């Protein structure tokens, strides 16, 4: 129970005649910290002890109503009063209480409104139960009260999707009682007065029973098990909502138990890490400070990447001039952009009028000179240094002073590209991930001479494009592709040594990857990796075991994956099947290399694959290519389909511990000492007993 301490500075009472307001002021989003909970507890006690107010209205200062529990408190011992206790106190108040919602009432914030005796929302605000997105469930009465007010289906929809719901829809579903216009405090005064005189009817959830239907619960349970086989909290969410058939107090106990079960899971830790990591990567000094004004962007190249990047800019409301060298390529680029935008409309992601407005801001041109007035150029042509050097040399003479010149290269040296211009300070890398208008990752590559305001502009652009910008230093592959180039070999070594491509894919999909590496290769096109291996052949390290023999043979047959009808899999029926000719190739390569195949368990496959990924990720942090471990984690969550509930490769590494990882690498090194080397950083961490989370704090 309450310990008697107060939180007056974040929660205060304002008296207006015979009604009282409880004002919460806990920037930036009025999260329900301990001080807020204590303040609510104390002010409710005080007002009920006085007994003079006829009604109470709870409202929030700042930009939004309470946005939920204070996530920063998670993982620490909870300090009473906990939210469910505070919410029961609100509901049991002898003086009727109305909550006044503005901005985004999320999680515990929406639950505080639900436990109030009435709920009034200001037009344009939204409500939501996003706990599912951070490995939890509504743990302050939402699973018990929302079914009572709005029915099982809507409660399941909100709780399992985590989506934000406009207050008009919430009103229609009975989750709130009124939608009005006005300032939160004024609305609070009027709502309390209406509640006091009965013109705003009280709807207390402890007086309402859920209309229960077991079939609805059973269907929801089957759905979550099919959709999210790795996750615990969706199942627990359905279980808690099912308990709303019981008396409220009993249901609340079951909800609390389900909530605490989720709180203890590594998934909750992983998803919270992802939540804060997404914000941490742009919370660095390099992302702050003055930026250049970007009003118009030039995109060079109408291929897959160029048209994806152009689509992304147009969706953000930025006019784009698209440059190609020939009419056919330009037309293809415009067609791809149009198709991308039409796809967003058909998926309900983009209103048709916004699509038309976006297309109207697209100016195709065959003339590079037409880039003279743009504020930023994004080059997205062939991954060949001589082509890029030629283009940047021309841009240097065409673009206005102060224009930013960015390359979308996925691994080439930004410093070399910058060196052909007279303005290396205006050059940086902006590495998008395909499809560029969908994938949220943007690697922002800092050249030696890149000016601070150019780098900060890269982060500002990432935010405008709703991308997750991550700072990377120059090296072959920057952060993500460099690490991929290393651990991708492990998948090939596993196949050479006895596993099948499908077993590797299935094992990694069982770990949580959306798609195994061979299925990804077939999707992206096996010829891309083939070209890279040929490009690097001359520089190949003779000491390194060649990983590409099987993939080379597949490509030599013209099998590039989905686009050619076969690759590792055959794409004829509805379900792709393993390509039997690949099995023959694997046998032939093993025979030629004198390999006696052995079996691998799925666990061994995952352990090797993840240990290889972590080892190179540790080296990327160690040499400063990535600023901190969390930056690597976000690269993999937002660019490589890494399972979000595991938080990223280095957050996952902490669940294993540095000592275990060193042990594994040393064991694998008995087979291949060149490929398996213990990073110095990992050895130091094992000796010091430190974690990547510790490094993030130092970062
Ligand atoms: N707790 C602590 N800090 C939070 C926070 C929260 N719930 N939400 C946001 N912040 C910080 C964020 O880290 C950033 O800090 C700043 O606020 C601005 O956030 C019992 C258990 C509200 C829609 O999941 O969705 O309630 O980086 O950059 O883009 O059932 O923040 O500036 O230092 O995102 O305008 C449920 C999560 C919690 C809401 C605003 N609630 N937050 O978006 O700003 S669990 C959530 C958001 C719960 C109960 C359960 C968004 C936003 P800094 P921002 P924004």
């Amino acid at each position: 129970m309450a310990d008697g301490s107060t939180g007056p500075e974040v929660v205060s009472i304002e008296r207006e005649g015979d009604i009282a307001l409880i004002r919460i002021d806990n920037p930036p989003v009025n999260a329900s910290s301990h001080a807020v909970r204590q303040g609510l507890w104390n002010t409710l006690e005080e007002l009920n002890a006085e007994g003079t107010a006829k009604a109470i209205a709870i409202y929030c200062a700042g930009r939004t109503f309470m946005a939920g529990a204070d996530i920063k408190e998670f993982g620490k011992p909870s300090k009473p009063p906990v939210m469910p206790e505070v919410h029961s106190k609100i509901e049991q108040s002898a003086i009727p209480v109305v909550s006044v919602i503005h901005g985004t009432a999320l999680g515990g914030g929406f639950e505080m409104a639900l436990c109030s005796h009435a709920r009034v929302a200001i037009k344009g605000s939204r409500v939501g139960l996003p706990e599912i997105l951070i490995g939890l469930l509504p743990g302050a009465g939402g699973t018990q009260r929302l079914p009572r007010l709005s029915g099982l289906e809507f409660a399941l929809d909100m709780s399992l999707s985590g989506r934000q719901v406009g207050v008009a829809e919430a009103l229609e579903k009975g989750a709130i009682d009124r939608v009005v216009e006005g300032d939160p405090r004024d609305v609070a005064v009027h709502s309390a007065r209406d509640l006091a005189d009965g013109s705003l009817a009280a709807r207390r959830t402890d007086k309402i029973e859920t209309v229960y239907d077991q079939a609805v619960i059973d269907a929801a349970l089957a759905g979550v098990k099919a959709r999210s086989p790795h996750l615990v909290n969706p199942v627990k969410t359905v279980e808690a909502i099912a308990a709303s058939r019981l008396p409220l107090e009993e249901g609340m106990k079951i909800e609390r138990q389900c909530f605490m079960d989720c709180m203890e899971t590594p998934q909750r830790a992983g998803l919270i890490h992802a939540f804060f990591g997404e914000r941490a990567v742009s919370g660095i000094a390099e992302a702050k400070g003055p930026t250049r004004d970007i009003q118009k962007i030039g995109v060079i190249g109408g291929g897959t990447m160029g048209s994806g990047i152009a689509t992304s800019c147009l969706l953000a409301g930025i006019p784009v001039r698209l440059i190609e060298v020939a009419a056919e390529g330009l037309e293809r680029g415009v067609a791809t952009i149009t198709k991308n935008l039409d796809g967003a409309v058909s998926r309900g992601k983009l209103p048709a009028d916004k699509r038309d407005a976006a297309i109207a801001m697209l100016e195709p041109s065959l003339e590079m000179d037409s880039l003279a007035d743009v504020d930023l150029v994004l080059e997205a042509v062939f991954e060949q240094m001589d082509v890029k050097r030629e283009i940047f040399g021309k841009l240097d003479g065409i673009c206005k002073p102060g224009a930013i010149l960015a390359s979308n290269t996925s691994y080439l040296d930004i410093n070399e590209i910058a060196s052909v211009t007279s303005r290396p300070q205006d050059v940086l890398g902006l590495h998008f991930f395909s499809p560029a208008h969908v994938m949220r990752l943007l690697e922002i590559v800092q050249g030696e001479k890149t000016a601070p305001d150019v780098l900060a502009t890269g982060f500002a652009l990432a935010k405008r494009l709703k991308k997750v910008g991550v700072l990377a230093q120059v090296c072959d592959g920057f952060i993500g592709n460099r690490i991929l180039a290393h651990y991708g070999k492990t998948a090939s070594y596993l196949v050479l040594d006895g596993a099948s491509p499908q077993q590797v894919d299935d094992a990694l999909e069982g770990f949580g990857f959306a798609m195994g590496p061979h299925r990804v290769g077939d999707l992206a096109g096996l010829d891309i990796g083939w070209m890279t291996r040929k490009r690097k052949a001359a520089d190949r390290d003779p000491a390194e075991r060649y990983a590409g023999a099987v993939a080379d043979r597949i490509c030599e047959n013209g099998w590039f994956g989905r686009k050619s009808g076969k690759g590792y899999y055959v794409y004829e029926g509805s379900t792709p099947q393993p390509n039997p000719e690949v099995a023959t190739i694997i046998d032939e390569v093993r025979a030629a290399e004198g390999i006696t195949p052995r079996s691998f368990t799925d666990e061994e496959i995952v352990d090797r694959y993840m240990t290889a990924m972590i080892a190179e990720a540790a080296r990327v942090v160690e040499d400063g290519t990535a600023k901190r471990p969390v930056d690597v984690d976000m690269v993999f969550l937002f660019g490589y389909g890494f399972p979000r509930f595991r938080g990223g490769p280095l957050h996952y590494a902490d669940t294993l511990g540095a000592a275990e990882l060193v042990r594994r690498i040393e064991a694998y090194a008995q087979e291949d000492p060149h490929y398996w080397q213990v990073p110095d950083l990992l050895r130091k961490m094992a000796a010091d007993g430190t974690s990547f989370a510790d490094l993030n704090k130092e970062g």
Side-chain angles (χ1 to χ4, degrees):
M1 267 325 155
D3 62 10
S5 64
T6 61
E9 70 284 356
V10 290
V11 180
S12 54
I13 294 173
E14 298 168 339
R15 289 175 172 76
E16 290 282 340
D18 61 357
I19 57 110
L21 307 182
I22 293 180
R23 180 181 186 270
I24 300 171
D25 186 8
N26 183 31
V29 296
N30 289 309
S32 184
S33 62
H34 176 250
V36 169
R37 300 194 303 274
Q38 192 64 68
L40 282 166
W41 184 277
N42 296 346
T43 48
L44 281 159
E45 288 240 302
E46 183 180 337
L47 290 168
N48 274 281
E50 276 174 11
T52 53
K54 295 282 187 299
I56 299 169
I58 300 175
Y59 81 101
C60 290
R63 60 179 170 147
T64 180
F65 191 73
M66 182 185 286
D70 187 337
I71 303 179
K72 295 186 177 76
E73 291 183 356
F74 288 170
K76 300 168 189 165
S78 53
K79 286 171 72 178
V82 291
M83 284 187 97
E85 292 168 332
V86 174
H87 292 179
S88 295
K89 193 159 187 72
I90 292 171
E91 188 156 62
Q92 299 312 315
S93 166
I95 302 172
V97 180
V98 55
S99 274
V100 176
I101 290 170
H102 76 286
T104 46
L106 301 174
F110 184 38
E111 291 174 293
M112 183 165 73
L114 293 172
C115 75
S116 302
H117 305 155
R119 296 143 285 275
V120 175
I122 290 173
K123 191 176 177 187
S125 48
R126 300 189 303 280
V127 296
L129 294 172
E131 292 88 337
I132 195 86
L133 307 177
I134 52 176
L136 294 170
L137 56 85
T143 65
Q144 306 305 306
R145 295 190 169 102
L146 190 54
R148 284 172 162 80
L149 288 169
S150 305
L152 282 177
E153 286 91 341
F154 187 61
L156 287 163
D157 168 18
M158 284 196 71
S159 304
L160 292 173
S161 69
R163 70 187 177 95
Q164 291 185 13
V165 170
V167 286
E169 180 184 357
L171 177 69
E172 184 200 327
K173 300 288 187 185
I176 58 171
D177 304 288
R178 255 185 204 174
V179 175
V180 299
E181 298 195 56
D183 161 80
R185 189 180 190 283
D186 296 343
V187 171
V189 171
H190 289 113
S191 302
R193 287 191 177 134
D194 290 353
L195 187 61
D197 68 20
S199 56
L200 171 60
R203 285 199 306 143
R204 296 175 50 135
T205 55
D206 58 346
K207 307 293 184 201
I208 303 171
E209 285 195 6
T210 300
V211 175
Y212 191 74
D213 181 341
Q214 189 60 47
V216 169
I217 293 295
D218 295 344
L221 205 49
V224 297
K225 286 179 175 175
R227 275 195 311 276
S228 319
H230 301 94
L231 296 180
V232 166
N233 62 315
V235 171
K236 290 288 181 183
T237 300
V238 178
E239 281 175 23
I241 289 173
S244 67
R245 69 187 182 283
L246 305 170
L248 186 64
E249 200 168 326
E250 281 181 55
M252 288 296 289
K253 289 192 180 88
I254 292 173
E255 175 191 85
R256 185 72 185 162
Q257 186 53 57
C258 290
F259 178 78
M260 293 314 291
D261 293 347
C262 294
M263 189 57 94
E264 304 311 312
T265 60
Q267 303 176 352
R268 189 271 307 158
L271 289 166
I272 295 281
H273 176 71
F275 174 84
F276 283 116
E278 181 180 343
R279 289 155 178 81
V281 292
S282 57
I284 56 176
E286 291 86 343
K288 301 189 186 330
T291 58
R292 296 186 188 177
D293 185 26
I294 305 297
Q295 293 297 325
K296 177 177 280 188
I297 286 180
V299 174
I300 304 180
T304 304
M305 287 310 292
S307 49
I309 293 167
T311 305
S312 188
C313 294
L314 292 168
L315 285 170
I318 305 172
V320 170
R321 183 156 296 146
L322 179 69
I323 304 294
E324 259 288 354
V325 288
E328 186 199 349
L330 192 57
E331 283 159 25
R332 196 167 48 246
V334 172
T336 305
I337 292 167
T338 305
K339 182 166 158 277
N340 292 343
L341 292 170
D342 288 344
V345 172
S346 58
R347 287 194 304 277
K349 300 277 186 194
L350 184 71
D353 62 330
K354 292 265 194 290
R355 180 241 355 246
D356 301 341
I359 290 176
M361 287 189 292
L362 176 61
E363 294 175 43
S365 169
L366 295 172
E367 302 301 327
M368 269 183 76
D369 288 342
S370 65
L371 295 177
D373 65 337
V374 301
D375 305 301
L376 183 146
V377 177
L378 258 161
E379 167 273 314
V381 299
F382 297 115
E383 284 291 73
Q384 284 171 7
M385 184 54 87
D386 55 351
V387 175
K388 296 189 189 294
R389 288 168 59 96
E390 183 190 356
I391 285 175
F392 276 75
K394 286 179 180 170
L395 290 173
D396 194 28
I398 294 168
C399 294
K400 65 185 180 186
I404 292 175
L405 310 181
S407 173
N408 171 57
T409 181
S410 56
Y411 60 85
L412 293 175
D413 186 337
I414 293 294
N415 297 320
E416 183 177 347
I417 292 172
S419 70
V420 302
T421 72
S422 62
R423 55 171 102 184
Q425 72 281 1
D426 296 340
V427 178
L428 82 169
L430 291 177
H431 178 212
F432 290 77
F433 285 72
S434 184
H437 60 295
V438 174
M439 295 301 279
R440 294 193 57 208
L441 177 61
L442 179 62
E443 281 183 326
I444 299 172
V445 187
Q446 178 177 14
E448 284 161 1
K449 296 179 179 165
T450 301
D453 66 334
V454 171
L455 210 49
T457 305
F459 280 92
L461 180 63
K463 195 169 175 85
R464 275 177 83 180
L465 300 180
K466 294 190 174 49
K467 301 276 182 191
V468 178
V470 179
L471 181 65
Q473 299 305 318
V474 172
C475 75
D476 189 336
F478 312 133
I479 297 174
N481 282 347
R482 167 174 154 188
I483 295 168
L484 169 61
H486 182 74
Y487 72 80
K489 291 169 188 160
T490 293
S492 303
Y493 294 153
L494 284 161
V495 167
L496 285 170
D497 292 338
S500 71
Q502 182 177 10
Q503 185 195 3
V504 171
D505 285 349
D506 293 348
L508 292 167
E509 287 163 21
F511 176 77
F513 283 95
M515 204 181 269
H518 302 97
R519 291 190 177 105
V520 170
D522 272 6
L523 181 65
L526 300 174
D527 47 330
I528 296 170
W530 191 33
M531 281 193 288
T532 302
R533 289 192 299 277
K534 289 193 278 188
R535 168 175 66 83
K536 291 186 170 181
D539 306 327
R540 193 179 300 153
D541 180 348
E544 181 171 278
R545 181 184 181 191
Y546 186 56
V550 169
D552 290 348
R553 291 276 305 274
I554 293 171
C555 291
E556 283 153 15
N557 288 329
W559 305 336
F560 297 143
R562 279 176 188 268
K563 62 185 174 185
S564 59
K566 63 167 76 168
Y568 283 100
Y569 297 86
V570 178
Y571 298 89
E572 282 161 2
S574 58
T575 310
Q577 296 301 322
N579 181 348
E581 296 171 284
V582 166
T584 306
I585 289 175
I586 292 169
D587 290 341
E588 289 169 357
V589 171
R590 285 172 182 163
E593 296 189 11
I595 295 169
T596 304
R598 75 172 183 82
S599 64
F600 288 90
T601 64
D602 288 357
E603 188 181 6
E604 277 182 291
I605 289 170
V606 171
D607 286 354
R608 284 170 178 258
Y609 193 81
M610 286 309 305
T611 303
M613 185 187 295
I614 291 163
E616 191 60 23
R619 283 187 275 266
V620 160
V621 172
E622 189 176 33
D623 68 19
T625 301
K627 199 174 183 67
R628 299 155 301 181
V630 66
D631 299 80
V632 176
D633 286 339
M634 294 310 111
V635 162
F636 277 82
L637 291 189
F638 292 101
Y640 290 79
F642 192 91
R644 186 178 173 88
F645 70 88
R646 296 197 186 271
L650 295 181
H651 179 83
Y652 173 69
D654 279 350
T655 67
L656 302 172
E660 163 61 13
L661 290 159
V662 169
R663 184 198 64 74
R664 286 184 187 181
I665 297 170
E666 288 177 338
Y668 300 151
Q670 303 304 315
E671 305 159 20
D672 183 347
H674 180 276
Y675 178 78
W676 293 105
Q677 298 180 39
V678 177
D680 295 341
L681 173 62
L682 212 50
R683 196 177 296 284
K684 183 176 181 305
M685 288 167 65
D688 301 347
T690 50
S691 66
F692 287 107
D694 296 328
L695 291 183
N696 284 330
K697 290 186 191 113
E698 291 166 22

